[in-house]
Amino acid sequence: IGDEQIGGLIRGERIGWERLRAAIAQAKPRLPRDHGHLAALDASYSYLRQFTPAVLSTVRFAGGTAATELLIAVHMLRELNATGARKVPEQAPAGFVPTKWRGYLDEARRSGSATAYRHYWELCVLLGLRDGLRSGDVFVPGSRRYADPAAYLLTSQQWEPQRDEFCRLVGKSADPAQALAAATDELHTAVAELETVLAGGDGPVRLDEAGDLVISPLTAEDVPAEAVALKAELTEMLPFAPIVSLLIELDKRTGYLDCFTHASGKQARTPELKRNLIAVLLAYSTNLGLTRMGEACGISYDILAWTSEWYVREETLRAANLAIIDYHQRLPLTTVFGAGTLSSSDGQRFPTRGKSITARVLSRYFANEGLSTYTHVTDQHATYGTKIIVTTRREAHYVLDEILGNATDLPITEHATDTHGVTLVNFGLFDLLGMQLSPRIRDLGRITLYRPGPRAEAEARFPRTGPLMTRKLNTELIAEHWDDLLRLAGSLKFGHATASLLVGKLSASGRQNSLAAALKEYGALRRTIYAAKYLADPDYRRKISRQLNRGESLHALRRDLLYAHEGMIRARHLDGQTEQAWCLTLATNAVIAWTTEYYGLAVEQMRREGRRIDDDVLAHISPAHSENINFFGAIEVDIDAELAALGPTGYRPLRVRDTLF
C-alpha cells in the first residue's frame, strides 16, 4: 500500500475513526522498562520486611567510591527501620538506582504517594546492595565470601618475589609494552589469515553483498567406513562383564580402592571392606541407593551406611578417580585418542526430588526442579573434574576451577567450551595463565571484534576484515593495570583464591572497577585473536567440535549408568550430591579405562594375526562404549570369584569372532 493511500484507508469504511479510537481505548498500558519486575517484588514487600531490617541492623557493609551513594542509602534505610519512620527524607540519594527502575520513583513522586515511594526506594536499595555484593563493589568486613576483593589477591609484598617465577611459568613479559606488542603482532597475524580466507569469496566463511560476515555451519564429520566396521568388530571381540566385575578387575590393576581411607586416619582394613566399598560406589553411581543395594547384594544397610559415612567422601573419591585416570593415561591405546593437552567442560542437568538448596525450577529441562553437574573431560575421554552447580548460574564462572585444581599428570594447555562457558573475563584469565580458551560460540559472526589502532589504519591494512573490527581497544588501560592483571592471575595460579569466586565477581563488576574493566578489555583482545584464527582454519573448528562431542558422549554414558529412579537425584544436601556426582564420575572413568584396555588387547591380537590397523582409524573409535557392560540384573560382589575368573593372564579372554558366515 502506497503512503498516499494509507490516510484514506484509515478514514474510510475499511477502518474508520470510531474503530481506531475504540482499539486505542482497549490497548493495554505499556510495560515499564523492567517489564514489571519491581512491581512484582512490591507485592512481596511485607514478606521481605520480615527479615531485611534484621539483616541491615546486624551486618555492616563497606565499599569503594563507586558504592558511596548506595552505602549512604543503606545507612538511611537502617535509621528509618530503627526509628520506625515511614517517609523517605528529601535528601535521600537515588543516583544509584538503574534507569530501568527510576520510572517507579518518578511516578510515585509525581503522584505524591509517600508510601509507594518508600516501597520502591527501599526495594532499589536492597537490590543495589545485592548486586554490589555480587560484583565486589560492596563488601562485608570479616566475611570470607563477601570480603573486600583486594583480599582475594596476593598482597604487593607477597607478589613481588613471585612475579618473575609466574611470568616464566606462563610465558608472559612483566613489561606491559612488550606484552602488548607481542599480542598486537599475534592479532595482525591472525587477522591476515582471515583476510586471505575472505579474499576467496566463496568459502564457508565469506562476506555477503552488504559486507556482513557469513559463517556456514560445519558439515558432519566424515567417519571412515573402515572405522565403523572396526568398531563393530571390536564390540564382537570384547568380553561381556557386569559393572561389578569391571570395578573389581580395575582395582586389581590400579588399587584405587586403597585410596578410600578411614576418616579418623586409622589404617586397619577388614577383608570385607573392598566388597562394601564397591557396593556403596554402585549404590550411588547407579542411583539405587543404599537400601536397594543392600537388598540386591545381600549386604545389610547398616554396614553400607557405616562404610559410606567413614570412607566415601570427596577427598577419597578424588584420589580414587586420579588413580584410574593415571592408569588409563599409561595404556598404549590412550595416546591414539589424544595427547591429553586439550580438554572441554560442559554442564549436564539432572532432575531432583525434594527440596534442595542447589535445585532450581527450569521448565526447559525439568518437570519440577533439578541441578547441574559441571564436568571437565580430556581429549583422551577421561573426566578429571566434577562440580555441582545451581542450574540457573552461569557456567562460565566454574570453567577454571578444575583446570587449576587438576592433580593429574595431564598438561592441559587448551580448553574448549560451548557458549555458556564464555566471558571476556575467561578469555583474559586463560591467556594470562598461559592457556588457550577455545569455545564454540553461537552467532560468532555477530560478536564485536576489536582493533588496536584507528579505523582507517585497520581498513587500509585489511580491506575486508578491517570494517568488521568496529571497536578500538583501550590499550592504555591494559598497560596501566598490567602488573595487577598478572597479580590477579598469579593469585589463581598459586591457589590464593578460588577461580569461580573471582570470575563471578569480575564478570559482575561495573565500569567503575578499573581492574575488571582492564581484564575485560584484555579479554576482548584475546577473543578477537581467537575468532580470527577460528574462522580462518576449518580444521581448528572441527577439532573443537570433536572435543565437545566427546563430552556429549560421556554425558550419554553417565545417563546410562544413573538409571535407577529415572535418573532423579534424591540427595538433598550439597555434600551428598557432590559425593554422588564423584561416584558417577569414578564409575564412568572405570568404564572408559576398561574399554580402552580391552580395545587395545583386541587390536593387538588383530595385528598379531597380520591385520593392518592404522592409528588414524582407531582415533575415530570412542571408548565411551557400554554395549559390553551390564549395568542391570543381580549384583553379587564376590571379589575372590571374580579375580579367579580372570585366568592366568589377568584379563578376561576375548570372544572368538564368528567366521562361519
Side-chain angles (χ1 to χ4, degrees):
I1 301 174
D3 293 344
E4 67 280 358
Q5 300 175 4
I6 292 177
L9 292 172
I10 291 176
R11 293 189 296 271
E13 296 179 357
R14 292 187 60 178
I15 298 178
W17 286 114
E18 292 184 4
R19 289 183 61 193
L20 186 61
R21 291 191 182 99
I24 292 174
Q26 295 174 4
K28 294 181 180 179
R30 186 177 179 180
L31 286 172
R33 289 185 179 223
D34 69 336
H35 296 275
H37 180 209
L38 200 62
L41 276 179
D42 186 40
S44 302
Y45 180 79
S46 58
Y47 169 72
L48 294 172
R49 289 286 302 173
Q50 294 178 21
F51 57 86
T52 53
V55 171
L56 294 180
S57 65
T58 305
V59 182
R60 289 296 177 263
F61 302 96
T65 55
T68 302
E69 276 200 359
L70 175 62
L71 292 175
I72 293 173
V74 170
H75 179 70
M76 282 189 169
L77 180 56
R78 188 183 290 123
E79 289 185 347
L80 290 175
N81 293 333
T83 59
R86 297 184 179 183
K87 186 176 180 181
V88 178
E90 292 292 334
Q91 69 274 18
F96 62 89
V97 179
T99 305
K100 62 180 178 179
W101 295 330
R102 203 162 289 164
Y104 290 95
L105 298 179
D106 294 341
E107 180 63 28
R109 193 178 291 279
R110 281 196 300 268
S111 65
S113 175
T115 301
Y117 190 87
R118 163 65 187 267
H119 283 203
Y120 290 132
W121 182 81
E122 182 173 351
L123 290 173
C124 288
V125 172
L126 296 173
L127 289 169
L129 188 60
R130 179 202 65 180
D131 294 339
L133 288 169
R134 286 178 177 176
S135 66
D137 294 333
V138 177
F139 55 88
V140 179
S143 169
R144 176 179 296 177
R145 181 175 179 181
Y146 299 108
D148 183 355
Y152 300 124
L153 305 181
L154 293 166
T155 64
S156 301
Q157 293 75 17
Q158 292 172 321
W159 170 242
E160 193 67 32
Q162 300 187 63
R163 181 189 293 109
D164 293 339
E165 180 189 358
F166 173 75
C167 291
R168 181 184 57 81
L169 287 173
V170 300
K172 295 293 177 187
S173 172
D175 181 13
Q178 186 177 344
L180 284 173
T184 303
D185 290 343
E186 189 178 354
L187 174 62
H188 288 157
T189 302
V191 173
E193 294 174 359
L194 180 57
E195 181 76 13
T196 303
V197 171
L198 295 179
D202 56 353
V205 177
R206 61 191 184 277
L207 297 175
D208 60 13
E209 296 178 355
D212 295 327
L213 194 62
V214 178
I215 307 171
S216 300
L218 285 173
T219 57
E221 186 171 9
D222 186 17
V223 179
E226 53 185 323
V228 177
L230 180 61
K231 173 71 178 293
E233 198 172 351
L234 291 173
T235 302
E236 291 181 5
M237 293 181 65
L238 258 61
F240 286 117
I243 184 66
V244 177
S245 306
L246 184 151
L247 293 175
I248 293 173
E249 186 178 347
L250 267 182
D251 177 61
K252 178 180 182 295
R253 288 193 275 278
T254 66
Y256 72 90
L257 288 178
D258 294 332
C259 298
F260 290 94
T261 56
H262 197 278
S264 67
K266 67 179 183 180
Q267 301 296 322
R269 297 174 74 88
T270 62
E272 298 82 13
L273 180 59
K274 287 191 174 183
R275 179 202 65 174
N276 301 339
L277 283 170
I278 289 176
V280 171
L281 292 176
L282 281 176
Y284 291 140
S285 60
T286 61
N287 209 32
L288 276 171
L290 298 181
T291 302
R292 292 287 181 88
M293 178 56 67
E295 297 170 355
C297 67
I299 305 173
S300 71
Y301 168 83
D302 292 341
I303 292 176
L304 295 180
W306 182 87
T307 305
S308 173
E309 178 72 23
W310 288 101
Y311 286 92
V312 180
R313 54 193 185 276
E314 184 178 355
E315 171 194 351
T316 56
L317 285 164
R318 281 181 178 270
N321 193 58
L322 183 62
I324 294 177
I325 291 176
D326 287 344
Y327 178 75
H328 174 255
Q329 187 185 0
R330 296 193 300 270
L331 295 175
L333 195 61
T334 302
T335 54
V336 175
F337 301 138
T341 58
L342 173 64
S343 68
S344 61
S345 58
D346 191 22
Q348 185 175 14
R349 280 85 180 176
F350 291 99
T352 58
R353 189 173 74 181
K355 292 294 182 183
S356 171
I357 195 171
T358 57
R360 295 291 186 275
V361 175
L362 209 63
S363 59
R364 181 179 177 184
Y365 300 103
F366 318 117
N368 295 307
E369 290 186 341
L371 52 78
S372 288
T373 60
Y374 198 64
T375 51
H376 288 64
V377 177
T378 70
D379 55 2
Q380 297 176 343
H381 301 273
T383 305
Y384 66 90
T386 297
K387 192 178 187 70
I388 296 292
I389 65 174
V390 177
T391 309
T392 52
R393 287 184 184 169
R394 185 77 185 268
E395 292 178 356
H397 299 169
Y398 304 93
V399 173
L400 269 168
D401 273 352
E402 295 296 338
I403 298 175
L404 293 174
N406 175 29
T408 67
D409 294 331
L410 298 170
I412 303 298
T413 59
E414 187 174 7
H415 188 75
T417 69
D418 56 13
T419 306
H420 297 289
V422 181
T423 61
L424 293 178
V425 168
N426 275 346
F427 266 109
L429 284 177
F430 263 87
D431 184 75
L432 290 169
L433 289 164
M435 295 181 289
Q436 172 64 51
L437 178 62
S438 301
R440 183 176 60 193
I441 304 176
R442 184 176 58 246
D443 297 330
L444 181 59
R446 298 182 182 179
I447 67 170
T448 303
L449 300 180
Y450 288 71
R451 61 184 187 276
R455 177 191 295 270
E457 179 183 328
E459 293 181 357
R461 186 168 185 175
F462 306 109
R464 296 170 183 83
T465 313
L468 301 175
M469 304 168 75
T470 55
R471 291 281 298 274
K472 184 179 182 299
L473 281 166
N474 189 350
T475 53
E476 293 81 7
L477 180 65
I478 300 174
E480 180 184 352
H481 291 86
W482 182 248
D483 190 62
D484 289 333
L485 292 176
L486 292 176
R487 181 160 63 102
L488 170 62
S491 302
L492 296 177
K493 183 77 171 178
F494 297 135
H496 190 75
T498 305
S500 56
L501 184 63
L502 268 181
V503 171
K505 288 188 176 297
L506 291 168
S507 299
S509 295
R511 295 181 180 274
Q512 298 87 349
N513 189 325
S514 57
L515 177 60
L519 180 58
K520 291 174 183 177
E521 202 72 18
Y522 186 68
L525 169 62
R526 300 309 313 182
R527 187 180 68 175
T528 303
I529 295 172
Y530 166 74
K533 291 181 178 179
Y534 183 85
L535 294 172
D537 189 355
D539 292 335
Y540 185 42
R541 297 204 300 275
R542 196 171 293 283
K543 181 183 82 168
I544 300 305
S545 180
R546 188 184 301 122
Q547 175 59 28
L548 291 174
N549 288 339
R550 287 190 178 104
E552 293 295 337
S553 66
L554 287 168
H555 283 348
L557 179 57
R558 278 187 282 270
R559 291 279 184 201
D560 291 342
L561 270 166
L562 199 78
Y563 63 85
H565 301 283
E566 299 178 339
M568 185 176 291
I569 303 294
R570 295 173 298 158
R572 298 193 178 188
H573 301 289
L574 179 60
D575 55 350
Q577 294 165 354
T578 300
E579 289 170 4
Q580 183 169 6
W582 274 105
C583 286
L584 181 58
T585 295
L586 189 146
T588 305
N589 279 329
V591 171
I592 294 296
W594 186 90
T595 306
T596 301
E597 186 163 29
Y598 277 92
Y599 272 167
L601 294 174
V603 169
E604 184 181 346
Q605 177 173 312
M606 289 180 179
R607 286 173 173 167
R608 283 199 304 266
E609 295 171 355
R611 290 275 300 277
R612 178 181 175 179
I613 301 176
D614 295 330
D615 287 349
D616 292 341
V617 177
L618 284 171
H620 290 278
I621 297 176
S622 170
H625 169 92
S626 59
E627 283 84 344
N628 296 83
I629 302 169
N630 183 20
F631 300 141
F632 313 103
I635 299 174
E636 185 176 353
V637 188
D638 190 341
I639 295 178
D640 294 334
E642 291 292 345
L643 295 179
L646 295 180
T649 62
Y651 297 97
R652 297 173 183 274
L654 297 173
R655 290 186 293 158
V656 179
R657 286 170 291 141
D658 191 351
T659 57
L660 295 177
F661 302 99

